[in-house]
Amino acid sequence: MYNTMEDKLLGPEKECVMDLKGRVWIESKKLWIVSTPAIITRLTSFGILVTTQSFMGHIGETELAAYAIIQIIFIRFANGILLGMASALETLCGQAFGAQHYHMMGIYLQRSWLVLLASATILVPVFIFTSPILRLIGQEEELSAVAGNISIWFIPIIYYFVFSFTMQMYLQAQQKNMIIGWLSSISFVVHLTLSWLFVYKLNLGIPGAMGAMIISTWSMVIGELIYVFGGWCPETWSGFSMHAFADIWPVVKLSVSSGVMLCLELWYNAVLVLLAGYMKNATIAIAAFSICLNITAWEIMIPLGFLSGACVRVANELGNGDAEAAKFAVKVNLCTSMFIGVLFSVLFLVFGHVLSYAFTSSSEVARAVSSLSTLLALSILLNSIQPVLTGVAIGAGWQSVVAYVNLGCYYIVGIPIGVLLAYVAKLDVRGIWIGMMCGVALQTLVLLWITWKTDWNSQVEKASQRLNRWFLAPSHGNDENT
């Protein structure tokens, strides 16, 4: 009922606006249900690695440098492979949940465990032979020896990645990942407590710092397994099944394409840090660049949470057969992440000159970081868009396409531009940073174009074909729709 002539004339438009607000509100709630625990989990999990580095710094400078090299090169290498391969599970579980093929999610989880456990085992020799590898690339003998000692302690962490990544993706696909947020937060507190006890009080050195990391991370995995095996996922987990060994090859192919996609992205920054090491005054260059990367690494945990949200929402709606809902989820997610990105960009522009003192007491390094504050702010803005688009790609199952996009944008465009600007144009670290941004900007534009031009109805059909091809009828006593 309209009270005025104006209300009467504008009534349909007002109803449309109210309807849009309602849809945005409903979609935002669905988004934050997935994204909030994902953000908490990523912040605390990354925090465990960073705080361990801090405790290593109190053991000794060589230990700190050795740990930093392992984290930047070897752990990033392993993390990229395993997290990328695990993202195949995001596609499968998200679409299966949307299609109400609930019992298949447990089977997909077990198949992913098999593939990732095999991959992790293949990676173990890299951590066993870390010292010879570092000597081969010209690192100092003392640093290589200490790094080899530390890297052995990382082997249990590699297997932690297998279960942590897959369990997170399995639970968030069914919107039950709040438990992971709680467990991750608890493990972070446990890690801080144990690190303080082992390193400061008991003076256990490297075994104390790394032992604290192993205990805290695996306590989280044990909690997740208890949650799943204990009956809190009755629709999606009905026990171990021999069906997990069937149709492994398609899962391997999707996992490999997912791994390549994410590896090319995660290794990009590592390559740029290595390039900075060949500059004049390399110590200052690497310190300033690594501080900026640490700042962006902390902030990007928020967009990576939205990556999870985008993946789950797109996969759920495609599995449910609703193309319009999938498109709307992409729009809401992008707008939300961009708003937060703009906010953080402004903050870093305003406080860029003081941020570095949280990481260093050197005024020379602080000035170098301050000179990069504008580029840092622009990077943060780009990082608010790009992960969401990657999440959309994972949710829709475009991993192989994005792998080619990443290869072209990062390694054919971004790194060469960075090298030219740094060494030919003499822009030093700023040149490398600009090259990095050019690669990310181009990748963002390409993914935006792909997302914009996508026929979402055909994506629904492809999701349906994938799910039907791998579908197995539920066993007796297990109704997939209960």
Side-chain angles (χ1 to χ4, degrees), residues 268-288:
Y268 185 42
N269 289 344
V271 171
L272 293 168
V273 171
L274 290 174
L275 288 174
Y278 295 101
M279 293 182 175
K280 294 179 181 179
N281 202 5
T283 302
I284 300 298
I286 292 176

Side-chain angles (χ1 to χ4, degrees), residues 329-376:
V330 173
K331 295 175 183 177
V332 172
N333 202 320
L334 269 176
C335 291
T336 305
S337 186
M338 284 178 62
F339 173 78
I340 295 175
V342 170
L343 179 62
F344 274 100
S345 295
V346 172
L347 288 175
F348 286 123
L349 277 176
V350 174
F351 299 105
H353 63 291
V354 297
L355 280 174
S356 57
Y357 288 106
F359 299 88
T360 181
S361 57
S362 168
S363 58
E364 190 175 2
V365 173
R367 284 195 298 272
V369 173
S370 180
S371 69
L372 296 171
S373 60
T374 301
L375 295 176
L376 179 62

Side-chain angles (χ1 to χ4, degrees), residues 203-482:
N203 294 317
L204 295 179
I206 291 173
M210 297 304 298
M213 181 191 288
I214 292 170
I215 293 171
S216 58
T217 51
W218 272 94
S219 66
M220 176 181 169
V221 168
I222 292 170
E224 292 168 351
L225 292 173
I226 290 173
Y227 181 82
V228 174
F229 296 165
W232 282 275
C233 299
E235 295 178 323
T236 60
W237 180 265
S238 55
F240 291 98
S241 172
M242 292 301 296
H243 291 307
F245 294 92
D247 289 326
I248 285 288
W249 181 241
V251 177
V252 171
K253 290 195 293 183
L254 184 58
S255 296
V256 168
S257 62
S258 301
V260 172
M261 177 195 76
L262 205 57
C263 283
L264 292 173
E265 195 165 316
L266 292 176
W267 296 343
Y268 185 42
N269 289 344
V271 171
L272 293 168
V273 171
L274 290 174
L275 288 174
Y278 295 101
M279 293 182 175
K280 294 179 181 179
N281 202 5
T283 302
I284 300 298
I286 292 176
F289 199 40
S290 62
I291 286 173
C292 289
L293 288 179
N294 269 331
I295 293 171
T296 57
W298 276 105
E299 189 278 335
I300 204 174
M301 296 300 140
I302 298 174
L304 287 177
F306 289 114
L307 180 154
S308 298
C311 174
V312 170
R313 290 297 304 127
V314 169
N316 284 174
E317 296 301 345
L318 290 180
N320 191 38
D322 195 335
E324 289 301 317
K327 288 168 60 177
F328 189 73
V330 173
K331 295 175 183 177
V332 172
N333 202 320
L334 269 176
C335 291
T336 305
S337 186
M338 284 178 62
F339 173 78
I340 295 175
V342 170
L343 179 62
F344 274 100
S345 295
V346 172
L347 288 175
F348 286 123
L349 277 176
V350 174
F351 299 105
H353 63 291
V354 297
L355 280 174
S356 57
Y357 288 106
F359 299 88
T360 181
S361 57
S362 168
S363 58
E364 190 175 2
V365 173
R367 284 195 298 272
V369 173
S370 180
S371 69
L372 296 171
S373 60
T374 301
L375 295 176
L376 179 62
L378 290 173
S379 294
I380 287 169
L381 184 60
L382 282 174
N383 286 341
S384 69
I385 304 171
Q386 180 268 335
V388 174
L389 297 173
T390 300
V392 173
I394 295 172
W398 304 336
Q399 285 93 330
S400 58
V401 174
V402 179
Y404 287 111
V405 172
N406 289 352
L407 178 63
C409 295
Y410 290 157
Y411 296 88
I412 297 177
V413 176
I415 289 177
I417 289 176
V419 171
L420 288 173
L421 292 178
Y423 295 100
V424 179
K426 306 298 183 183
L427 292 180
D428 296 329
V429 175
R430 277 177 290 181
I432 291 179
W433 194 274
I434 292 170
M436 180 181 73
M437 286 179 54
C438 288
V440 175
L442 181 59
Q443 185 224 29
T444 302
L445 290 173
V446 172
L447 291 182
L448 275 173
W449 183 81
I450 291 173
T451 304
W452 178 263
K453 300 296 290 184
T454 293
D455 181 351
W456 289 95
N457 289 314
S458 70
Q459 295 302 314
V460 168
E461 293 177 5
K462 290 179 180 178
S464 178
Q465 291 171 3
R466 179 186 296 115
L467 293 171
N468 290 333
R469 185 168 64 251
W470 294 348
F471 179 77
L472 296 169
S475 58
H476 293 295
N478 180 33
D479 185 358
E480 62 171 340
N481 293 316
T482 56

Side-chain angles (χ1 to χ4, degrees), residues 122-136:
I122 293 172
L123 291 172
V124 165
V126 174
F127 292 86
I128 294 175
F129 299 105
T130 294
S131 291
I133 293 172
L134 290 178
R135 292 190 191 101
L136 187 64

Side-chain angles (χ1 to χ4, degrees), residues 141-157:
E141 176 61 32
E142 182 183 6
L143 185 65
S144 299
V146 174
N149 183 20
I150 294 174
S151 66
I152 296 297
W153 289 90
F154 269 108
I155 293 175
I157 303 298

